Amino acid sequence: MLQAALHSGAAHRRSVFEAFARRLPTGRRYGVVAGTGRLLEELASFSFDDPQLSFLSDHRVVDDSTLAWLADFRFTGSISGYAEGEVYFPHSPILTVESTFAEACILETLILSILNHDSAIASAASRMTGAAAGRPCIEMGSRRTHEEAAVAAARASIIGGFASSSNLEAGRRYGIPTVGTAAHSFTLLHDSERAAFEAQVASLGRGTSLLVDTYDVEQGVRTAVEVAGAELGAVRLDSGDLVAQARWVRQLLDDLGNSSTRIVVTSDLDEFAIGLLASAPVDSYGVGTSLVTGSGAPTAGMVYKLVSRQDDDGVFVAVAKASKNKASVGGLKHALRRLDAKGVAQAEVVGVGIEPTEDGNDRPLVEQFVRDGVVLDGWTGPSAVTRAADRHARSVVELPGACRRLQRGEPVIPTEYEEPAS
Amino acid sequence: MLQAALHSGAAHRRSVFEAFARRLPTGRRYGVVAGTGRLLEELASFSFDDPQLSFLSDHRVVDDSTLAWLADFRFTGSISGYAEGEVYFPHSPILTVESTFAEACILETLILSILNHDSAIASAASRMTGAAAGRPCIEMGSRRTHEEAAVAAARASIIGGFASSSNLEAGRRYGIPTVGTAAHSFTLLHDSERAAFEAQVASLGRGTSLLVDTYDVEQGVRTAVEVAGAELGAVRLDSGDLVAQARWVRQLLDDLGNSSTRIVVTSDLDEFAIGLLASAPVDSYGVGTSLVTGSGAPTAGMVYKLVSRQDDDGVFVAVAKASKNKASVGGLKHALRRLDAKGVAQAEVVGVGIEPTEDGNDRPLVEQFVRDGVVLDGWTGPSAVTRAADRHARSVVELPGACRRLQRGEPVIPTEYEEPAS
């Protein structure tokens, strides 16, 4: 495609591409933008190296003039969009790329891969932390997804409100708080549950979390308290009927004088299980599989479409395909969130080719990330993760309360278009 | 956990860990092992570098003696299991690691991340290629999953029977056949659909595939034939009712004298959509989202459990947790596929601590991958992908025909245990 466009000359036309979602995953009330920081970090070093160029050449994937273009590739355009952590709705203009067609075209897979993956995880994380209603959630899903996706998933879960992650590489790269836990294998390795608990407490102190369900939960709790005493940090429950179990384990801990020992629950939790546990005396949730697989929506379904490009006279022309059930809206988009006098979101207002009319309460949504090839400060690195988590917390609290309902429903606010008066 | 086990001394006990799936994803008839080659490639260079050790030290994640152990880490144990591409069932002993507890424990996340991701994709791919019944399937899902997961997904899809991938990096790393396509943006970039087709044919020749649904499919097909003539390679349909559309587009192509022009269909295909298209005159399928997200089962659900370890006298003791609804079976496993006289699979036979009794038709399933830290030849690199795809094709054809049913059902053969006579 690039080669053919270079040959026809059209590759050099200035173009506007837009990443957006036609719809939210079935039943979801809002989405959460994530991955923008990772994308901008990748963009800063995005080029084609010799082994890559040799592959393209050796296998005649592209011709020599296209190879020469790729060898010199460096993105020189501009990128704007929704801040990482911001909520989004159908047709929100999440990312806009302005450059030559060729440059924007080359970035498509990178942009969509990162946004689709990270936004899917952050959107699931947000539902879970909403259901957890203030109790800390711990990301523990690394073993259930691709090894590099796991690091990105840990990052995205923090943006969606998680407190910490068991992924140490995510801690190293992004400064994310990390926590560990002991597995059943640690207990089975030792000659008895008591020997395992003694080994763990000897090495990690009485404030550690002991996994008490390897054999018999009641005996496990009693042994844990005997070994660690009143200072035992937490017990972890990973099987069985967690609601009932948490209640009697809490009672047992209290009866044994361990009223400050916390209860951590894990075991295939998702937002629905977390919601069910709201009435149980649980202190924190460890979430794995369902989080890193987007809780039923493992990809955010974003697409990347050419919405405007220059003609031979340099005039920008809005373009859109007319394909059945996949039509799109041409033209550069602007966006704001319409808020009422109390600051509650009413609508996602998308201006097609124009800035939407803003009243006093509305909040503009589009930020500049890259200008003429230069990534702007503040959107990358560990600080961007904290900033995105903060943005998300402020963004979601603005939504109508129905956004926290877990039942399937429509987007919690509608998307409205403003177009120039004709 | 590692630190506590190093301190108690139990970390040095020889141990056997096993990766297996307690169940298949809901309704699936079989699973496909994938990722073993990637795992062995990673294992060859798996160690902890200075930035990683500094992070662990600076954040006091582990103590100095554990840091020293990690700095020297190199896997010295042995690994055996199912060959990549082999089908599996609940409790099939897919991967067995024999080493000290510490070494096996350190590999858990790497092993499970790779096997859970890649097997999920290969399992979905196998259902799709089964439904395609010989028509080539093309992997096109890179934009719908994490950017590195995309490369692994392309590899896994080939193991599951796909013919090619649009992921060029997968082509470079693994020698996978790659194919490209033009997007709607290429058509929209040009002043007319005709100008776009002319540009593509001028650069890529008449054998190229033209995307004909940007505006009006009938006009698109007529223009494509006018531009490329009878040698037009293919038209791609990406929207609308694909079954009906493929029929009249085939008729139109034939009427225009383009009987050798192929029809490629894309547009959110999954195994069910491919099955529906069986009666339509379609030549190949491009599959994206549903493939790289495992078609409803984005992770294979494998776990990694300590099943046996030495006691202080050096005697191996089978171990298993008793947790409610998560109990496991202790002991080193062996496995074979029981075949009848016609070579049709009857059962997955798992020997617990013993080699199952083999009759003349049975096929042993466990291969050796790593011996005393050395990765054996034949299981890594591009040739391993071809070998795995071949293994998969031969393995699935052995299964009862019901394995190709797309309806939800039980595993197509049962898992049976053989234990030593007591």
Side-chain angles (χ1 to χ4, degrees), chain B residues 148-173:
Chain B
E148 273 295 322
V151 185
R155 181 184 181 282
S157 68
I158 298 293
I159 293 171
F162 272 57
S164 55
S165 166
S166 64
N167 191 298
L168 289 166
E169 178 65 11
R172 190 179 74 82
R173 284 192 209 170

Side-chain angles (χ1 to χ4, degrees), chain A residues 37-95:
Chain A
R38 287 213 304 124
L39 169 64
L40 298 172
E41 289 159 14
E42 290 294 320
L43 186 66
S45 61
F46 192 91
S47 62
F48 295 88
D49 63 20
D50 286 341
Q52 292 165 338
L53 295 168
S54 297
F55 168 77
L56 297 175
S57 173
D58 294 349
H59 292 76
R60 300 174 193 278
V61 176
V62 292
D63 63 15
D64 288 346
S65 58
T66 307
L67 271 179
W69 187 91
L70 289 171
D72 289 339
F73 176 78
R74 188 183 147 276
F75 183 70
T76 63
S78 296
I79 301 179
S80 59
Y82 281 33
E84 197 167 11
E86 186 60 77
V87 301
Y88 72 86
F89 297 92
H91 296 280
S92 294
I94 289 164
L95 201 82

